[in-house]
């Protein structure tokens, strides 16, 4: 978590300044800080011979989706925001998503990457196994 605190704080400061007077360069630097935090987390996982837990994946997915929704709402409601930040933030979201998905596909393969996010199937398996166990 110490890696995410350091890089996350830097990302928040850079993105906040980029949304204000800083411009696209600071928005790209903020996305870079997020990517460096992710790569630091990957290195720590490699050192401790572990992977991302389902809770870490869920937290990252929720944060990513909340940021995307916030970006969409801000773009729709504020013309000035859209004209200044749309391209830079769109590129940031795309690059962050590509980096994370590329890492997961390289590390886990396509099937295990899909299974990491396929919670419906996991839920269905548990309900079937508990039902079949009760019937026996």
């Amino acid at each position: 978590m110490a890696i995410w605190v350091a890089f996350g704080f830097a990302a928040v400061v850079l993105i906040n300044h980029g949304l204000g007077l800083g411009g696209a360069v600071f928005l790209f630097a903020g996305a870079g800080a997020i990517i460096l935090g992710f790569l630091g987390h990957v290195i720590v996982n490699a050192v401790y011979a572990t992977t991302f837990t389902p809770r870490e994946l869920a937290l990252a997915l929720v944060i990513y989706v909340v940021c995307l929704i916030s970006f969409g709402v801000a773009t729709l409601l504020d013309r000035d925001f859209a004209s200044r930040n749309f391209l830079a933030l769109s590129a940031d979201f795309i690059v962050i998503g590509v980096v994370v998905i590329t890492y997961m596909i390289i590390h886990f393969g396509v099937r295990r990457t899909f299974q990491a996010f396929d919670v419906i199937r996991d839920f269905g398996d548990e309900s079937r196994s508990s039902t079949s166990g009760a019937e026996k």
Side-chain angles (χ1 to χ4, degrees), residues 19-103:
L19 291 173
L21 300 174
V25 174
F26 287 94
L27 293 174
F28 294 143
I34 292 169
I35 291 169
L36 287 175
F38 174 74
L39 294 176
H41 194 146
V42 168
I43 291 168
V44 169
N45 282 349
V47 168
Y48 288 108
T50 185
T51 61
F52 291 100
T53 66
R55 289 180 178 162
E56 290 171 338
L57 288 173
L59 177 63
L61 189 60
V62 166
I63 290 171
Y64 191 78
V65 169
V66 166
C67 290
L68 274 174
I69 290 171
S70 301
F71 169 65
V73 169
T75 301
L76 291 173
L77 297 179
D78 186 4
R79 290 180 195 235
D80 188 42
F81 177 84
S83 65
R84 287 183 294 120
N85 303 315
F86 183 79
L87 291 177
L89 284 175
S90 296
D92 286 350
F93 281 119
I94 290 169
V95 168
I96 290 169
V98 166
V99 166
V100 170
I101 291 171
T102 301
Y103 162 76

